[in-house]
């Protein structure tokens, strides 16, 4: 044992956001300070915050940054967690069971021994290596610090031209935020349609709806450089085709697992660079190391493959599972089905499971159907159209995925498919689901049931 | 064969609402008029309408009655269905494979032979046999005709005192409707709390919320008579304790299966008086008779018992299944889990599965937990509190039921539990469900996940 007291173990946590601090708190609930010392390192200025809330802070719908912080460093310390802020772990010595920590202010470095280690280093935003990318006025939206900097630029340029690079979740949410701030918004997108997490036909609906909100979408466009003015500030975003004037540029190109430390330490990484863990979030082959949150890969229960999905709800679940296991309890994280919901102004977007191209890649034969229905009984005020796409395995009729684009009341209907995917249901079984019905909440056939009926017919026709 | 053409069968349908006409339409889609003659009898003036929409028509949120009609008699006739309106079937001759029909206007009676029969006679409202119950100003809300009569009384008494008898779905929805019309509303309720389809602790929340809307709730009250004035009109509703002044009385006491015809014909009925069918909605023991909608009992997949549940969404499913089977296809209705959603003004109410008393009656040992959470991330505008109660089998941890009382965004979350019940999931399995998360749609732990976590802890504690 490397601690002073042979009966007392030390847990070291790298990363002070959702996964890391949930793990620390969970372990603390199970084991008091007499049994377990907890040391946590966070290189930034904040702990346990909702990065998913940043677009709404930037858009002005929510205050910040305090409102986005679930638990402050002080609150963690009150729970007997030795939290060291603005301190970066620069090396993991797996053999020696210790980490090397550097204080960002002053640069002092020390080795800290651990009995158990939790790696929760999160993700880093993709930032293409292009000319002008570091110019003032070009912003990421990954951390609360990013949000603060972006708001500073907004105050200086409000109501002018904004270009968002990328049309995934962060991209479309930032388009909404900038629209709220009075900007003329252009979204430059590499794909054929926005929201590449949807099939292109559903992405097309998002394109059309966003265009209807006054957002300019430039699809099939590769950014070649950021053009700057005489003052060095961003002036435009250049693609092969055109220059798109910009007083502010927001990058929403997605993220990759931040696993430099883990890689250097020889820990097992998957194809997308995320840490590989077992069902209990223990790093494979390492009894005393756990990992969770945006730095790990998760098992996709539909495709059977490991994937990287950066999402706060997974990070919190990982942290809870790790906390239980580190604390001597038992919990598991079986995997995901790939559920995600988002919105752009009043447009709701949801997906779960496989897209057509995922099914093709997995070598599956499938049918896919698309239906239109409404969020409430057609005659009830506020009934809003939604489009539901459902994909089922051709031979078995098993649900493979579902996507929804609609207005109020559309997105969370995806949860029905998320549970059905988890349970391995067929679309025919889904037609009989006893979903809540009353005119203010659903047509007499819920849109998910309408889609399941059409998918069932398609499966039967394909078999016939 | 009893039809003119030996190759042509005749289907007779009794009842022209959701189940009956869905069955007729479905059979027609599979078999053209050359193969199948379809004769349908409806004793009322309307077909295929949404009775569930009547409270909103009465409340003024939706127009009516046309908006509530999904398909008119003319539209059915255009699909080669020989629909006979205002014609009541007065006898089923099972041996002779014929029904006796009486035209309400004129009284002419004829025998009509069938090869296949669909019974969709619906339900009748409970109407206690008490003095004054037939007085002008006392209304049911079962049919579109009831709605029209009620609206006539409303125009004459608007803005005065209304008493609703019964505090189930219809009762609370009618309380909202009358509130919208400017009435001073009292709900007289036999139970200890409104919404006896919930456990009393959850019903209490409904009581409190309704009281907060200015509705007077009189619980534990048995109506003894309807008091009338000198003009013969309703004047008050008397209970053992007090007289409650009323310019209008609305009865919302629930319904019973309308199976007089079926009983007289010796067809099998269950404990609640509903017809008993097999998985394909065929009446047990009768190869050529199907039944669906509010006149049948359905299998409760959680308790394993037959129950009567009058709900438009089930009736439509039954009709679709019957149509497929009568038309020579194959479809099944496996059963229900008892999902229901409702609202009173901005209060949303949902339930699925077993209540505590159902679990006790079924001889199950269980744990139940209650949590409070919000519809959106706590910091996101419009985040509304909701209370979620979850019941799990003590030994296995299997989900038994869930109830929700909250505001906007609460009720349809019950669908997650409805699918989980259908799949036989444990509450621990539910803690890992990949439900849609983004701040406008859910806290990072969806309220259903919060409840599942607490239920999991309770199951573990009970085992320990």
């Amino acid at each position: 044992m490397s601690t002073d007291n042979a009966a007392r173990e030390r847990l070291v946590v790298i990363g002070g956001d959702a996964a890391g601090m949930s793990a620390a708190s969970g372990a603390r609930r199970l084991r008091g300070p007499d049994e377990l010392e907890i040391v946590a390192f966070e290189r930034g200025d904040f702990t346990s915050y909702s990065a998913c809330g940043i677009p709404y802070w930037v858009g002005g719908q929510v205050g910040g940054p305090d409102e986005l912080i679930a638990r402050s460093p002080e609150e963690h310390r009150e729970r007997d967690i030795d939290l060291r802020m603005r301190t970066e772990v620069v090396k993991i010595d797996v053999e020696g069971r210790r980490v090397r920590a550097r204080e960002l202010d002053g640069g002092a470095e020390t080795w800290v021994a651990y009995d158990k280690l939790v790696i929760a280093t999160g993700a880093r935003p993709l930032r293409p290596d292009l000319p002008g990318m570091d110019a003032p006025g070009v912003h990421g939206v990954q951390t609360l610090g990013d949000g603060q900097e972006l708001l500073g630029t907004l105050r200086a340029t409000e109501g002018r031209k904004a270009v968002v690079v990328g049309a995934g979740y962060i991209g479309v949410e930032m388009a909404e935020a900038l629209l709220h701030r009075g900007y003329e918004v252009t979204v430059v997108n590499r794909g054929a349609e926005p929201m590449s997490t949807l099939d292109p036909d559903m992405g097309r609906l998002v394109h059309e709806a966003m265009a209807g909100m006054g957002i300019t979408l430039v699809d099939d466009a590769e950014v070649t450089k950021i053009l700057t003015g005489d003052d060095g500030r961003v002036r435009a975003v250049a693609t092969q085709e055109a220059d798109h004037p910009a007083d502010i540029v927001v990058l929403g190109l997605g993220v990759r697992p931040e696993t430099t430390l883990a890689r250097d330490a020889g820990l097992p990484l998957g194809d997308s660079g995320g840490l590989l863990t077992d069902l209990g979030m223990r790093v494979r082959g390492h009894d005393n190391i756990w990992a969770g949150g945006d730095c790990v890969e998760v098992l996709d229960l539909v495709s059977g493959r490991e994937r990287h999905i950066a999402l706060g709800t997974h990070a919190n679940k990982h942290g809870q599972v790790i906390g239980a296991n580190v604390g001597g309890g038992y919990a598991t994280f079986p995997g995901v089905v790939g559920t995600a919901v988002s919105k752009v102004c009043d447009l709701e977007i949801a997906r779960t499971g496989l897209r057509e191209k995922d099914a093709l890649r997995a070598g599956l034969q499938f049918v896919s159907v698309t239906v239109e229905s409404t969020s409430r009984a057609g005659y009830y005020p506020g009934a809003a159209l939604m489009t539901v796409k459902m994909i089922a395995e051709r031979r078995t009729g098993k649900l493979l995925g579902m996507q929804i684009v609609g207005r109020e009341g559309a997105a969370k209907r995806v949860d029905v498919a998320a549970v059905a995917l988890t349970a391995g249901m067929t679309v025919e079984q889904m037609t009989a689901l006893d979903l809540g019905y009353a005119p203010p909440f659903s047509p007499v056939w819920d849109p998910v049931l309408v889609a399941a009926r059409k998918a069932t017919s398609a499966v039967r026709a394909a078999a016939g």
Side-chain angles (χ1 to χ4, degrees), chain A residues 259-380:
Chain A
T259 48
T260 313
L261 275 181
R263 173 176 287 118
D264 291 347
L267 297 176
L269 305 183
D271 292 342
S272 64
L275 276 154
L276 295 174
T277 73
D278 69 11
L279 198 63
M281 301 309 296
R282 199 184 298 247
V283 173
R284 288 189 202 160
H286 294 267
D287 272 359
N288 65 333
I289 308 179
W290 288 260
D294 294 356
C295 68
V296 304
E297 296 192 0
V298 290
L299 180 63
D300 182 320
L301 297 168
V302 189
S303 69
R305 292 162 190 226
E306 315 278 343
R307 292 174 59 191
H308 178 245
I309 300 178
L311 204 54
T313 185
H314 299 333
N316 273 279
K317 285 188 184 120
H318 295 166
Q320 188 249 329
V321 166
I322 295 170
N325 292 332
V326 166
Y330 178 68
T332 61
F333 182 83
V336 304
V337 293
T339 311
V341 295
S342 188
K343 78 176 193 68
V344 194
C345 301
D346 67 340
L347 185 78
E348 298 191 2
I349 306 164
R351 56 96 64 220
T352 191
L354 307 185
R355 295 163 298 182
E356 291 189 2
K357 75 171 170 188
D358 302 319
L360 284 170
R361 195 180 300 153
L364 297 168
Q365 290 198 298
F366 60 88
V367 299
S368 74
V369 299
T370 303
V371 301
E372 275 215 335
S373 183
T374 54
S375 56
R376 309 174 182 196
Y379 56 78
Y380 195 89

Side-chain angles (χ1 to χ4, degrees), chain A residues 117-199:
Chain A
L117 177 65
V118 173
I119 303 174
T121 42
R124 59 168 186 280
L126 285 174
R127 216 179 159 92
D129 186 21
L130 293 175
M133 199 53 87
D134 296 323
V138 180
H139 292 271
V141 281
Q142 174 75 358
T143 64
L144 285 188
D146 293 341
Q148 283 176 319
E149 287 176 22
L150 175 53
L151 279 161
T153 300
L154 285 182
R155 278 185 277 272
T157 64
E158 198 142 359
R160 293 160 71 184
K161 286 180 198 298
V163 172
V164 176
V165 181
Y169 291 103
I170 297 172
V172 303
E173 287 169 4
M174 286 309 302
E176 171 184 332
L178 292 161
L179 212 58
H180 280 305
R181 289 288 182 182
Y183 283 80
E184 203 175 299
V185 180
T186 299
V187 177
V188 176
N189 167 34
R190 182 187 289 189
E193 303 292 350
M195 297 303 295
S196 64
T197 51
L198 306 178
D199 282 319

